[in-house]
Amino acid sequence: METAICGRLPLSPNHVFNPKPAGDRHPLCKGPCINLGIPMAVSATGPGKGGGLLERPVIEKTTPARDSEFDLRKSRKTAPPYRVILHNDNYNKREYVVQVLMKVIPGMSLDNAVNIMQEAHHNGLSIVIICAQADAEEHCMQLRHNGLLSSIEPASGGGC
């Protein structure tokens, strides 16, 4: 006969001090069980019907609608680069422009922000960053939201 583990039976003081004699039936088990709180073996299947073991269920961990990290990196590398351009204006103070650039552009240092602001002030415009189109659109929108004049355009080369 093939068997499987039924589980542990309750072990109360009454069971320890007044154990039932071997061969008594417990409602959870088929066949004789010794009721001492140890794993009991029970009949799992009839003869010739398998080992009584269940196969482990397959759990799908990926969400069908979500791209993998590899796919996201690949799409960013193949996307054409775009320039984010800062335009000079006569409304915002230079210090404020530097603060906004450092807040909006990730990894922007104080020196780079000052140089970009100076170039826009003297030449009328300056390239802030070259990156993927989606990132460029986001940076441009954030610069505009903070009151700066900005635009994007396709870059002939370069990358994020």
Side-chain angles (χ1 to χ4, degrees):
M1 173 172 36
E2 293 155 355
T3 58
I5 299 298
C6 172
R8 292 192 183 268
L9 298 176
L11 185 62
S12 67
N14 188 31
H15 288 101
V16 174
F17 296 113
N18 299 319
K20 294 182 180 180
D24 280 358
R25 293 187 174 270
H26 192 276
L28 296 177
C29 298
K30 296 180 184 177
C33 291
I34 299 173
N35 196 359
L36 294 178
I38 58 174
M40 299 295 144
V42 295
S43 172
T45 62
K49 292 188 179 179
L53 297 176
L54 297 176
E55 291 183 21
R56 183 171 249 185
V58 177
I59 299 173
E60 187 78 26
K61 290 189 178 184
T62 58
T63 307
R66 183 176 172 203
D67 293 333
S68 71
E69 189 67 29
F70 175 76
D71 292 338
L72 290 175
R73 277 188 267 132
K74 184 179 175 185
S75 68
R76 283 188 180 147
K77 287 183 180 177
T78 58
Y82 274 72
R83 292 185 188 110
V84 178
I85 300 171
L86 176 67
H87 300 269
N88 186 39
D89 63 29
N90 294 324
Y91 307 107
N92 295 302
K93 293 189 177 202
R94 295 178 188 186
E95 294 82 10
Y96 176 74
V97 173
V98 170
Q99 287 177 349
V100 170
L101 286 170
M102 290 178 19
K103 179 175 83 171
V104 169
I105 308 300
M108 177 68 67
S109 68
L110 176 63
D111 289 339
N112 284 341
V114 169
N115 289 337
I116 290 168
M117 177 273 302
Q118 291 284 23
E119 186 178 343
H121 181 71
H122 292 293
N123 300 330
L125 57 89
S126 177
I127 296 173
V128 176
I129 190 170
I130 298 175
C131 56
Q133 181 178 3
D135 294 334
E137 289 171 351
E138 178 67 21
H139 295 320
C140 183
M141 182 184 74
Q142 289 179 356
L143 290 170
R144 288 178 180 178
H145 180 73
N146 284 282
L148 302 183
L149 298 176
S150 64
S151 62
I152 65 170
E153 68 180 16
S156 58
C160 288

